[in-house]
Amino acid sequence: MATNKADLLQGTLDLLILKSLQHEPMHGFGISLRIRQMSREMLTVEQGSLYPALYRLEDQGWIKSEWGVSDNNRKAKFYTLSATGRKQLAAEEQSWAKLSTAINLVLGHA
């Protein structure tokens, strides 16, 4: 069945998670909602992809986590971008810009 949702390219989920945490700490569900909102409902991140990515980013030191209470008064793990994560975000944004420029050149859209 065809959908209007765009498939996430391999490796882009890290960039989207780092970007969604740029301005404030968020719990996993909030990150998923933020990505969906920022993409105008075109991207949906399933929990089966999101949480392994969050663990991986935390292991790399790009995000930190701590337990807190969500808006609906439930215990949740909140993720924050670390200083190293901010540098990684800048590097990944730059890399993505180069890649998208190159693809647009190939497609004749530049």
Side-chain angles (χ1 to χ4, degrees):
M1 177 179 204
T3 68
N4 290 332
K5 307 263 185 215
D7 292 328
L8 276 179
L9 289 174
Q10 183 108 18
T12 56
L13 181 56
D14 292 358
L15 171 61
L16 297 175
I17 292 171
L18 295 175
K19 185 68 177 178
S20 68
L21 292 172
Q22 185 176 27
H23 299 295
E24 61 182 325
M26 303 181 87
H27 51 69
F29 184 67
I31 293 169
S32 177
L33 285 178
R34 175 68 58 88
I35 291 170
R36 200 163 115 194
Q37 291 168 343
M38 290 170 56
S39 70
R40 297 182 187 163
E41 311 290 329
M42 291 182 65
L43 299 175
T44 301
V45 181
E46 303 297 332
Q47 289 185 6
S49 300
L50 178 64
Y51 287 99
L54 288 171
Y55 297 137
R56 186 179 61 253
L57 294 176
E58 192 170 14
D59 283 346
Q60 291 171 318
W62 296 346
I63 62 174
K64 300 175 184 173
S65 68
E66 65 180 29
W67 288 99
V69 178
S70 68
D71 290 340
N72 60 4
N73 212 24
R74 296 179 70 181
K75 187 175 176 183
K77 203 171 194 181
F78 285 81
Y79 297 91
T80 306
L81 199 58
S82 69
T84 306
R86 289 191 187 283
K87 290 178 185 172
Q88 185 64 28
L89 173 59
E92 293 209 19
E93 283 182 318
Q94 191 173 31
S95 176
W96 180 257
K98 285 181 183 176
L99 176 63
S100 65
T101 297
I103 291 173
N104 280 328
L105 286 169
V106 170
L107 296 176
H109 298 299

